[in-house]
């Protein structure tokens, strides 16, 4: 009986040694999806796309109803974007860097490092202007200042990520439609 328990214990330890590392191994598709494709949520950053999203926010169900909707507050729109990007960013940072993924991961992290602080500061301030009923001139001016200050840096980082992602996708036979443009 004692020998059987000992054998069972060794079996569990052996399985753990082999299975635990496998749980943390992402496939090339996982790396690509997290590092490159998730960045599509940033499209429109510091350009007309983000402005349209704030001009015409999504709707949400009115609490306690099943069919009545109301526009989201702009603060909620930005908070949802931040929450999604924070979660995606954490997943990228948890990926193990390899020689094969290094350039792509660094480019993706650089893009998140550039974009997230702007959402947490300037875009949060812009959402507040909307929600507090600021004039359209004040909103347009603030939005333009974000675009003027950040669009070129975003485009540069996004293009570097794309340049790193293309050969990675090709090497791993990941089919991607690269026809998206980042210019307004």
């Amino acid at each position: 009986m004692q020998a059987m328990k000992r054998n069972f214990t060794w079996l569990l330890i052996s399985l753990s040694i082999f299975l635990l590392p496998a749980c943390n191994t992402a496939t090339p598709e996982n790396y690509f999806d997290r590092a490159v494709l998730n960045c599509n949520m940033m499209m429109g950053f510091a350009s007309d796309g983000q402005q349209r999203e704030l001009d015409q926010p999504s709707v949400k169900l009115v609490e306690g109803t099943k069919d009545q909707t109301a526009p989201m507050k702009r603060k909620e729109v930005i908070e949802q974007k931040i929450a999604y990007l924070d979660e995606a960013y954490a997943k990228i940072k948890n990926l193990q860097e390899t020689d094969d993924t290094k350039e792509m991961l660094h480019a993706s992290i650089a893009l998140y490092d550039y974009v997230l602080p702007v959402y947490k500061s300037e875009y949060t301030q812009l959402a507040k202007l909307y929600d507090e009923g600021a004039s359209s001139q004040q909103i347009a001016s603030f939005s333009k200042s974000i675009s003027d200050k950040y669009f070129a840096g975003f485009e540069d980082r996004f293009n570097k990520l794309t340049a790193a992602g293309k050969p990675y996708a090709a090497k791993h036979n990941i089919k991607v439609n690269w026809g998206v443009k980042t210019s307004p």
Side-chain angles (χ1 to χ4, degrees):
M1 185 69 148
Q2 191 71 356
M4 195 164 124
K5 280 185 180 179
R6 195 172 1 165
N7 287 341
F8 184 71
T9 303
W10 280 110
L11 177 65
L12 285 176
I13 292 171
S14 298
L15 283 173
S16 297
I17 290 171
F18 291 110
L19 291 178
L20 287 178
C23 294
N24 199 19
T25 304
T27 66
E29 290 83 6
N30 291 142
Y31 273 94
F32 186 80
D33 289 352
R34 292 179 189 173
V36 180
L37 290 184
N38 281 346
C39 291
N40 285 331
M41 283 298 292
M42 297 178 201
M43 292 310 298
F45 175 82
S47 69
D48 293 341
Q50 186 61 63
Q51 191 59 41
R52 280 190 303 275
E53 189 175 348
L54 291 171
D55 284 341
Q56 301 169 356
S58 298
V59 295
K60 62 181 180 179
L61 283 175
V62 174
E63 199 169 317
T65 69
K66 293 183 181 186
D67 58 352
Q68 292 180 345
T69 60
M72 293 176 68
K73 290 188 178 282
R74 275 50 172 225
K75 179 183 177 194
E76 294 171 308
V77 171
I78 296 301
E79 286 173 346
Q80 280 186 351
K81 180 84 74 163
I82 291 169
Y84 177 84
L85 293 174
D86 274 338
E87 184 178 324
Y89 183 55
K91 287 179 182 178
I92 292 166
K93 291 187 90 172
N94 285 331
L95 289 172
Q96 184 177 11
E97 183 180 298
T98 66
D99 289 340
D100 194 29
T101 62
K102 182 178 181 176
E103 183 181 0
M104 183 176 64
L105 290 178
H106 282 245
S108 186
I109 289 169
L111 184 60
Y112 278 92
D113 285 342
Y114 187 76
V115 167
L116 271 167
V118 180
Y119 274 111
K120 291 178 180 181
S121 62
E122 282 95 327
Y123 272 119
T124 299
Q125 292 170 27
L126 181 59
K128 186 177 179 180
L129 289 176
Y130 271 100
D131 291 340
E132 292 178 351
S135 71
S136 58
Q137 294 90 347
Q138 193 177 7
I139 289 170
S141 174
F142 197 81
S143 180
K144 184 178 178 338
S145 72
I146 293 172
S147 181
D148 291 348
K149 187 174 180 181
Y150 296 107
F151 182 74
F154 168 76
E155 186 174 45
D156 179 58
R157 286 166 180 80
F158 191 86
N159 289 340
K160 285 179 181 172
L161 176 58
T162 301
K166 282 182 178 182
Y168 183 86
K171 178 179 179 180
H172 295 283
N173 298 314
I174 301 169
K175 299 209 183 303
V176 182
N177 179 358
W178 295 102
V180 178
K181 300 206 185 252
T182 60
S183 298

